[in-house]
Amino acid sequence: MNKISEKTKLAAEIAFLKNKQREDFCVLKEQYHITIDSYKPFNLIKSATREFMANPDLKSNILNGAIGIGTNYISKNVLNEDSINPIKRVLGRVLKFAWNNYIGKNRRKSSDIG
């Protein structure tokens, strides 16, 4: 009689583990589909956009970079340092000097923080 109860316990345990295995497989399969969906190009772009909008430091870094490129363009082309006109040369040098000082101060501040 003891063998019968052991066999029924073992059968019940096997049935329990098989059910658990099925449930775990379903959860794993669902997570697989979620992962595959998250790596689609559209979803990657969407998540990157959300992170960009949520991170103010990244926005300011991109803005500073764009301002730097614009200022450099203006100082190179509009206020040409090699120009014959002395006013343009002086304005170009002053603009470059001011921008370099601004960038230098911001780099020191960011290195102090980090």
Side-chain angles (χ1 to χ4, degrees):
M1 190 152 154
N2 195 10
K3 284 186 180 181
I4 295 173
S5 66
E6 297 261 338
K7 284 184 181 181
T8 56
K9 283 183 185 179
L10 186 60
E13 188 68 25
I14 289 172
F16 171 75
L17 289 174
K18 283 184 179 181
N19 284 335
K20 186 174 186 239
Q21 184 181 24
R22 274 190 228 113
E23 289 173 6
D24 288 346
F25 181 73
C26 288
V27 169
L28 183 65
K29 192 174 175 182
E30 185 178 322
Q31 184 60 44
Y32 171 76
H33 289 296
I34 291 170
T35 304
I36 291 297
D37 190 47
S38 70
Y39 281 109
K40 289 182 179 176
F42 177 74
N43 291 333
L44 287 173
I45 292 169
K46 189 167 64 171
S47 66
T49 305
R50 278 193 205 129
E51 288 178 17
F52 173 75
M53 293 302 197
N55 192 349
D57 293 336
L58 186 61
K59 286 181 196 176
S60 66
N61 287 342
I62 290 175
L63 183 63
N64 283 339
I67 290 172
I69 291 171
T71 306
N72 199 12
Y73 175 78
I74 290 171
S75 67
K76 285 270 187 193
N77 294 333
V78 177
L79 302 172
N80 195 349
E81 290 180 353
D82 299 330
S83 175
I84 297 172
N85 188 345
I87 295 173
K88 276 189 175 183
R89 280 192 307 213
V90 170
L91 284 175
R93 288 182 182 153
V94 167
L95 189 60
K96 268 191 179 178
F97 179 75
W99 180 250
N100 288 335
N101 281 342
Y102 174 75
I103 292 295
K105 287 178 185 176
N106 281 345
R107 283 190 182 150
R108 276 188 243 121
K109 286 180 186 176
S110 65
S111 65
D112 291 343
I113 292 170

